[in-house]
């Protein structure tokens, strides 16, 4: 091999490696979509909000403390110590601090903590369920893009076959073995097949665009995907997949935790019936000044008027205009709604798994049938081409053989990707 040819071969190999590196695999598409999906990012914010709710519930066990200071002025006539009125101006300054410690909150703080933790666990599972939804959408979009790409290839192959037929027809017409009408029909068929190829190419481009939009890629991104191999996981039964999914499916787990949180919220609402006890303590001092009389100094009054206080406060609910009763009723209604949502989630999952399993079985049978049909259609087309070249078949018979063959190719592609899609969905639910 000469140096020039060797250099050209190396450059060609390098360009092939670069093109392969630029292709997006299914796993890369899934990872990118999860990182950039708006719903998944929104769920992350919901997790942060739920974590703050847990922190708020934990902080309910802590005491509260506050300081205060005030300055007041009074002008004009006022009552004196002699029980007479006189024109005097007075001022008053007060400062202090107060502390309040909940000793017993009717189990409200404990129950709110349990509710907040259950809600956080549900939100975490909802975030994982959102990732699962994105994954399924990416798998579907990825396979749709590959499917339309192969259909476009079938359409291009049909165009190539029509061109070859046109060339043969032209040669036979030139030899006087076929009439001009057959040449016109071959030209018309080529134009129609080229139009179908353009439409198939547009469908492939749109499918790839849909996938890029699922990934939230920029509109001007150079986006190409890598074909999948034909290896498929073993096909599990619908019951086996459903049993595995019930133990690990994030949507079901989120619905279960939401039901648990709703039940805990009922107990939170019931705390309105329970008394509460709190402890309080405070200290403070003040300074008074009255015009026209001798007033003790500011520092002296602040020392002499210094006071401390401690106390306990018991609150016993007697009648709250049925507020607690209605809160409990609303919480019970929400708990029942959560149970219904859980039942619905289980039924929807069962339906989805059974539908995917039935479609996978049908696609597997169709793939076997289309493989045999494709072989037969190819043989029939080859035989009809020979007959046409020898003048023993007309253009209509050849076109029918070609249509049967290309339709068999398209059906083979459809059954293949249907089987891949349904098998991957079942595998995803089972993992």
């Amino acid at each position: 091999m000469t140096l020039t040819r060797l250099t050209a071969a190396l450059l060609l190999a390098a360009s092939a490696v670069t093109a392969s590196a630029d292709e997006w695999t299914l796993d890369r598409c899934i990872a990118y979509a999860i990182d950039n999906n708006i719903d998944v990012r929104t769920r992350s914010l919901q997790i942060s909000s739920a974590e703050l709710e847990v922190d708020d519930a934990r902080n309910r066990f802590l005491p509260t403390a506050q300081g205060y200071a005030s300055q007041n002025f009074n002008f004009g006539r006022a009552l004196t110590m002699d029980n007479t009125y006189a024109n005097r101006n007075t001022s008053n300054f007060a400062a202090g601090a107060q502390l309040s410690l909940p000793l017993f909150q009717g189990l409200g703080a404990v129950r709110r903590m349990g509710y907040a933790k259950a809600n956080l666990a549900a939100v975490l599972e909802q975030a994982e369920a959102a990732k699962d939804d994105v994954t399924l959408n990416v798998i579907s979009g990825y396979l749709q893009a590959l499917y339309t790409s192969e259909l476009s290839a079938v359409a291009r192959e049909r165009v190539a076959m029509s061109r070859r037929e046109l060339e043969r027809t032209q040669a036979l017409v030139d030899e006087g073995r076929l009439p001009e009408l057959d040449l016109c029909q071959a030209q018309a068929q080529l134009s129609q097949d080229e139009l179908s190829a353009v439409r198939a190419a547009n469908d492939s481009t749109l499918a790839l665009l849909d996938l890029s939009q699922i990934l939230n890629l920029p509109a001007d991104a150079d986006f190409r995907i890598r074909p999948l191999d034909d290896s498929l996981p073993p096909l599990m039964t619908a019951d086996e997949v459903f049993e595995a999914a019930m133990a690990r499916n994030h949507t079901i787990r989120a619905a279960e935790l939401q039901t648990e949180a709703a039940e805990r919220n009922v107990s939170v609402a019931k705390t309105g019936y329970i008394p509460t006890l709190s402890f309080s303590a405070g200290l403070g001092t003040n300074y008074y000044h009255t015009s026209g009389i001798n007033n003790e100094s500011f520092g002296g009054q602040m020392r002499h008027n210094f006071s401390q206080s401690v106390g306990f406060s018991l609150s016993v609910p007697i009648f709250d205009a049925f507020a607690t009763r209605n809160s409990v009723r609303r919480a019970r209604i929400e708990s029942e709604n959560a149970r219904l949502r859980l039942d619905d989630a289980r039924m929807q999952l069962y339906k989805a798994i059974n539908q995917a399993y039935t479609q996978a079985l049908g696609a597997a049978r169709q793939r076997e049938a289309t493989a045999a049909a494709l072989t037969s259609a190819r043989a029939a087309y080859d035989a009809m081409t020979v007959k046409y070249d020898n003048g023993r078949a007309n253009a209509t018979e050849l076109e029918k053989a070609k249509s049967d063959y290309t339709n068999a190719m398209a059906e083979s592609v459809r059954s293949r990707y249907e089987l891949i899609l349904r098998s991957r969905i079942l595998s995803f639910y089972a993992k």
Side-chain angles (χ1 to χ4, degrees), residues 70-194:
S70 64
Q71 174 69 57
N72 298 309
F73 299 93
N74 296 308
F75 307 96
R77 296 179 65 82
L79 190 64
T80 66
M81 296 178 59
D82 300 328
N83 202 28
T84 60
Y85 284 90
N87 288 323
R88 289 178 176 173
N89 299 330
T90 62
S91 64
N92 174 31
F93 172 78
Q98 294 176 335
L99 178 140
S100 178
L101 174 64
L103 298 179
F104 180 72
Q105 303 178 66
L107 302 177
V110 175
R111 293 177 178 179
R112 284 187 179 87
M113 173 64 76
Y115 169 76
K117 289 182 176 180
N119 183 62
L120 174 59
V123 171
L124 288 171
E125 290 296 332
Q126 287 173 343
E128 294 300 319
K131 295 179 182 179
D132 289 347
D133 292 339
V134 171
T135 300
L136 288 175
N137 288 336
V138 171
I139 291 175
S140 178
Y142 195 95
L143 292 176
Q144 181 66 21
L146 291 177
Y147 169 61
T148 55
S149 177
E150 290 205 20
L151 285 185
S152 180
V154 171
R156 291 194 302 272
E157 175 63 20
R158 184 182 176 94
V159 170
M161 294 164 65
S162 295
R163 284 203 180 103
R164 291 193 295 269
E165 291 171 8
L166 178 60
E167 293 171 358
R168 285 196 299 269
T169 303
Q170 181 70 60
L172 293 174
V173 170
D174 292 342
E175 294 173 3
R177 299 169 59 183
L178 289 178
E180 288 284 342
L181 178 60
D182 285 5
L183 180 61
C184 294
Q185 289 177 342
Q187 291 172 339
Q189 187 61 52
L190 175 60
S191 298
Q192 184 176 354
D193 291 341
E194 286 175 340

Side-chain angles (χ1 to χ4, degrees), residues 56-331:
D56 286 341
R58 186 182 297 111
N59 293 340
R60 287 179 176 269
F61 294 97
L62 301 177
T64 58
Q66 62 182 8
Y68 66 89
S70 64
Q71 174 69 57
N72 298 309
F73 299 93
N74 296 308
F75 307 96
R77 296 179 65 82
L79 190 64
T80 66
M81 296 178 59
D82 300 328
N83 202 28
T84 60
Y85 284 90
N87 288 323
R88 289 178 176 173
N89 299 330
T90 62
S91 64
N92 174 31
F93 172 78
Q98 294 176 335
L99 178 140
S100 178
L101 174 64
L103 298 179
F104 180 72
Q105 303 178 66
L107 302 177
V110 175
R111 293 177 178 179
R112 284 187 179 87
M113 173 64 76
Y115 169 76
K117 289 182 176 180
N119 183 62
L120 174 59
V123 171
L124 288 171
E125 290 296 332
Q126 287 173 343
E128 294 300 319
K131 295 179 182 179
D132 289 347
D133 292 339
V134 171
T135 300
L136 288 175
N137 288 336
V138 171
I139 291 175
S140 178
Y142 195 95
L143 292 176
Q144 181 66 21
L146 291 177
Y147 169 61
T148 55
S149 177
E150 290 205 20
L151 285 185
S152 180
V154 171
R156 291 194 302 272
E157 175 63 20
R158 184 182 176 94
V159 170
M161 294 164 65
S162 295
R163 284 203 180 103
R164 291 193 295 269
E165 291 171 8
L166 178 60
E167 293 171 358
R168 285 196 299 269
T169 303
Q170 181 70 60
L172 293 174
V173 170
D174 292 342
E175 294 173 3
R177 299 169 59 183
L178 289 178
E180 288 284 342
L181 178 60
D182 285 5
L183 180 61
C184 294
Q185 289 177 342
Q187 291 172 339
Q189 187 61 52
L190 175 60
S191 298
Q192 184 176 354
D193 291 341
E194 286 175 340
L195 177 60
S196 298
V198 170
R199 290 173 176 169
N202 288 338
D203 290 341
S204 178
T205 301
L206 288 175
L208 198 61
L209 176 62
D210 289 340
L211 177 59
S212 68
Q213 290 175 344
I214 293 175
L215 271 59
N216 286 332
L217 284 173
D220 57 348
D222 182 15
F223 182 56
R224 289 169 293 168
I225 59 177
R226 182 176 301 172
L228 297 172
D229 55 37
D230 286 337
S231 61
L232 294 175
L235 191 62
M236 301 171 62
T237 67
D239 290 338
E240 290 173 340
V241 175
F242 182 71
E243 183 179 356
M246 286 299 295
R248 294 185 288 271
N249 185 265
H250 294 295
T251 300
I252 298 300
R253 185 57 184 155
E256 291 173 345
L257 291 172
Q258 285 179 317
T259 302
E260 179 184 343
E263 292 172 352
R264 289 180 178 273
N265 195 37
V266 175
S267 64
V268 172
K270 289 180 179 180
T271 58
Y273 294 123
I274 305 175
T276 59
L277 176 66
S278 61
F279 166 77
S280 62
L283 53 87
T285 185
N286 52 62
Y287 165 76
Y288 294 94
H289 179 271
T290 304
S291 62
I293 65 174
N294 249 347
N295 295 280
E296 189 178 2
S297 66
F298 178 83
Q301 287 196 43
M302 294 294 284
R303 289 193 302 272
H304 296 157
N305 294 337
F306 182 74
S307 63
Q308 306 89 34
S309 65
V310 294
F312 294 89
S313 176
L314 176 67
S315 176
V316 180
I318 297 176
F319 180 71
D320 61 356
F322 302 112
T324 300
R325 184 198 66 177
N326 291 338
S327 296
V328 172
R329 289 180 177 178
R330 281 191 292 269

